[in-house]
Amino acid sequence: MYSAEFRRDAVALLTTSTLAEAAARTGASPSTLRRWASRSDLADRPRSGRPPIQETADRVVEALVATAGARISGRDYSTRALAEATGLSQSIVSRSVRVLTVPVAEVAGASELILAASGFPLVIVGVRRNDAGGGGPRGESATIVPPRRIQRRIAGIIAALRTAGVGRWAQRFDSEHRQVPTAELLALLDGDGDFLVFDPLGEVPDDLSGGAGVRVRACADFDDFVTALKTRLGECQDIPGALLDLLADRVRNGLEGVLWWESAPYEPQRSSITSDSMEISSWLPKETRSITEHLAIALREEIIDSGYEPGDRINPRLLSRRMQVPRASVDAALRRMVDDKLLDGSRGGARIPLITTVDVLDLYAARMAIGEVVLRSLALRPQRYLVPVQLALRQVEASAPTRSGIDVEDADLHFQQELARASGLRESARAFEALTLRLRLFISILQLDYSPASDRIVSDDRAMFRALSRADAKTAIEVWRGKVDNAVRHMAGLLGRRRFDQELWTQLTRSLG
């Protein structure tokens, strides 16, 4: 587009040159020069038609992406889903997202992200070059997760920085606003790795990069920092979901006090989209867990943290490193999970299974049937067998006020498993436990959020316990059936591929009595 100054110079040239000569010298067509000459005002005019909205769209998309956390790479935050949520066109949303990340072709996977910290006036990101490169077993790529997923996660980090207003720190704050001592942040640079620092006030010492093995690049300009950061992140094998969840949790507070380490990542306030820990999953006794059961629990964290989706191949090298167990043990456990149909092994390796609505109905119908048998048996047993069930119920009640979906989910599954154990039916309890393993995997893949249902979960669990305390198996079973019915409808609804098959569900679960 020609500037107003260019147009004025071109019109002035017409006073000493012919129209053809002026067109040749300026590159503008004769008809364009003739139109400019006929105008009294050569300043820029607003274009006709729809006004430009890209700048506004950029801010809206940034705000949504910044708070997505680990779910940024899921279907809920695709450009199509964002367009539907904002009312913008998909092409406009796509342009907004592209500004926040790098092209897929530039995702190299040669480094590991080891540190992310922020506190006015510094933001620090550390990476470590992976000397082994992509030299894993045949078939394993340099990146731990698909490049397109890393591309989306880069957008989440950049959006968080922009939305939190980090680029305006130097104008908005002064020394009185420091919540994290600068000396503590600078101490993080004393390590093995490459560090990129946003340093608007020039507080990183010039000689800091002189230490052995330490390389620091400080950027005073925010746009320069963002450009360099996107390049560094594009070189990473993985961008953990724990970091994205932390940034999403802190973005409204300006990212003040963020500290994430590769070895001990900060765990944000729990929800169904945050990483689980093996310690919180208490429904299997630790002393009796096999490596397979440990791995099944750890997979929940891995699915969320690395953004695995149905059909993705699980990277055993990453699991071995994060679980701190030998690679051979992980391989054996994955094979066992494939044999137990917890994972898909039909295409080589171990993959996250593809979940259909029939799979969901099958799983919940089996749990409903075994649960009824368990409740009938438990109602016939002496009251002393309800003691561990009552303790598990207290955990459910304690988790509800936190509104943390993952705590409520763990406590509820623990309560259900204690019901099965207390029934005295060993085989039924073991079958129920196997179904719980599969259910947890489904919950992880679909990233279910149980926090809105916490009050209903507590109410149902209390009602079942009261009925069992009165040896009222009929009421306990009625509550159980309603509880499972609500759960299966919610999970099936999230699949989005086909409508809930009400007729099949009724046929599978209707009482024959």
Side-chain angles (χ1 to χ4, degrees):
M1 182 179 179
Y2 298 111
S3 66
E5 183 179 359
F6 180 87
R7 290 193 291 267
R8 282 192 290 268
D9 291 342
V11 171
L13 187 62
L14 290 174
T15 60
T16 57
S17 305
T18 65
L19 187 64
E21 290 173 340
R25 293 180 60 180
T26 61
S29 67
S31 60
T32 299
L33 290 174
R34 193 178 295 110
R35 186 174 68 254
W36 289 349
S38 64
R39 286 172 53 182
S40 59
D41 177 20
L42 293 175
D44 292 332
R45 294 178 177 177
R47 292 185 177 183
S48 60
R50 187 180 183 186
I53 62 170
Q54 190 65 54
E55 185 175 344
T56 301
D58 290 346
R59 292 196 297 269
V60 172
V61 172
E62 281 175 9
L64 289 174
V65 171
T67 56
R71 303 182 73 170
I72 179 62
S73 50
R75 290 191 298 271
D76 291 343
Y77 288 89
S78 66
T79 54
R80 176 179 297 178
L82 289 173
E84 292 176 353
T86 59
L88 300 168
S89 70
Q90 189 171 351
S91 60
I92 288 178
V93 171
S94 297
R95 285 195 291 270
S96 297
V97 173
R98 282 198 297 269
V99 171
L100 298 172
T101 187
V102 298
V104 174
E106 296 181 13
V107 177
S111 303
E112 293 177 311
L113 189 62
I114 59 174
L115 170 69
S118 68
F120 173 77
L122 303 177
V123 176
I124 301 173
V125 176
V127 299
R128 182 192 301 119
R129 178 68 58 174
N130 185 359
D131 295 332
R138 180 182 295 182
E140 289 188 3
S141 62
T143 55
I144 286 175
V145 299
R148 190 170 298 279
R149 203 159 304 154
I150 294 178
Q151 180 195 40
R152 297 289 301 279
R153 292 185 170 211
I154 292 173
I157 292 178
I158 301 303
L161 291 170
R162 291 188 179 279
T163 303
V166 172
R168 300 186 297 276
W169 270 1
Q171 292 77 37
R172 293 170 55 195
F173 304 128
D174 53 35
S175 59
E176 296 180 356
H177 292 89
R178 301 188 187 217
Q179 299 181 25
V180 181
T182 302
E184 292 183 9
L185 289 170
L186 293 176
L188 298 173
L189 301 176
D190 185 16
D192 181 19
D194 294 326
F195 298 95
L196 180 66
V197 185
F198 175 53
D199 181 25
L201 304 183
E203 300 198 356
V204 176
D206 294 335
D207 59 348
L208 191 60
S209 60
V214 177
R215 293 166 296 278
V216 178
R217 176 184 173 185
C219 299
D221 181 76
F222 180 70
D223 290 335
D224 291 344
F225 171 74
V226 167
T227 301
L229 179 59
K230 288 193 288 188
T231 301
R232 293 282 180 94
L233 294 176
E235 295 171 352
C236 291
Q237 292 182 328
D238 184 22
I239 298 178
L243 171 59
L244 289 164
D245 285 331
L246 172 58
L247 295 177
D249 186 54
R250 295 289 188 84
V251 70
R252 294 183 179 88
N253 298 323
L255 300 187
E256 185 68 32
V258 168
L259 178 57
W260 178 90
W261 291 90
E262 176 197 30
S263 58
Y266 170 85
E267 204 167 292
Q269 196 170 28
R270 291 185 175 278
S271 70
S272 286
I273 64 173
T274 59
S275 298
D276 191 9
S277 70
M278 293 171 61
E279 296 301 317
I280 199 69
S281 302
S282 56
W283 52 273
L284 284 175
K286 295 177 186 176
E287 63 274 9
T288 63
R289 287 183 195 162
S290 65
I291 181 63
T292 303
E293 291 166 333
H294 270 296
L295 184 60
I297 295 171
L299 264 178
R300 175 176 177 78
E301 178 174 358
E302 188 58 24
I303 290 169
I304 300 299
D305 213 31
S306 287
Y308 282 125
E309 294 181 351
D312 285 351
R313 187 177 184 274
I314 295 173
N315 190 300
R317 177 162 48 93
L318 177 63
L319 273 183
S320 174
R321 189 181 71 199
R322 290 190 174 171
M323 292 181 64
Q324 297 183 352
V325 296
R327 169 69 181 272
S329 298
V330 172
D331 288 337
L334 288 175
R335 286 194 297 269
R336 173 67 182 277
M337 295 181 72
V338 169
D339 293 340
D340 292 343
K341 306 302 181 183
L342 288 172
L343 298 175
D344 177 20
S346 61
R347 292 178 289 166
R351 297 178 182 272
I352 302 298
L354 298 172
I355 303 175
T356 66
T357 52
V358 175
D359 293 331
V360 172
L361 298 184
D362 179 21
L363 172 64
Y364 274 106
R367 282 178 64 82
M368 180 180 285
I370 296 177
E372 290 186 21
V373 174
V374 163
L375 293 174
R376 288 193 186 97
S377 175
L378 188 52
L380 299 174
R381 306 199 82 191
Q383 290 288 308
R384 66 178 182 272
Y385 290 103
L386 288 175
V387 172
V389 178
Q390 186 175 25
L391 294 176
L393 176 59
R394 290 176 182 173
Q395 293 182 19
V396 178
E397 294 171 336
S399 67
T402 66
R403 295 296 172 182
S404 168
I406 206 168
D407 286 345
V408 174
E409 169 210 327
D410 271 298
D412 186 40
L413 291 179
H414 183 197
F415 172 78
Q416 295 174 32
Q417 197 62 43
E418 289 298 335
L419 288 173
R421 288 200 193 105
S423 69
L425 303 177
R426 188 172 302 175
E427 291 303 318
S428 293
R430 189 63 192 175
F432 195 82
E433 182 178 285
L435 292 171
T436 302
L437 279 170
R438 189 167 180 80
L439 176 59
R440 290 177 65 86
L441 192 65
F442 280 21
I443 290 172
S444 303
I445 295 170
L446 297 177
Q447 298 186 20
L448 296 187
D449 186 358
Y450 278 76
S451 53
S454 57
D455 291 338
R456 176 65 182 267
I457 289 172
V458 172
S459 176
D460 288 343
D461 290 351
R462 283 173 175 168
M464 278 194 293
F465 182 79
R466 285 195 301 267
L468 292 171
S469 300
R470 302 190 305 267
D472 184 359
K474 181 179 179 180
T475 300
I477 290 173
E478 288 177 355
V479 176
W480 169 250
R481 290 177 67 88
K483 179 183 180 73
V484 175
D485 188 76
N486 288 330
V488 70
R489 292 174 186 276
H490 179 49
M491 182 177 284
L494 288 180
L495 289 174
R497 299 192 185 104
R498 49 186 291 189
R499 296 177 59 187
F500 178 75
D501 194 335
Q502 176 65 54
E503 183 178 355
L504 176 60
W505 176 242
T506 301
Q507 291 297 322
L508 290 174
T509 60
R510 69 187 177 93
S511 175
L512 298 177

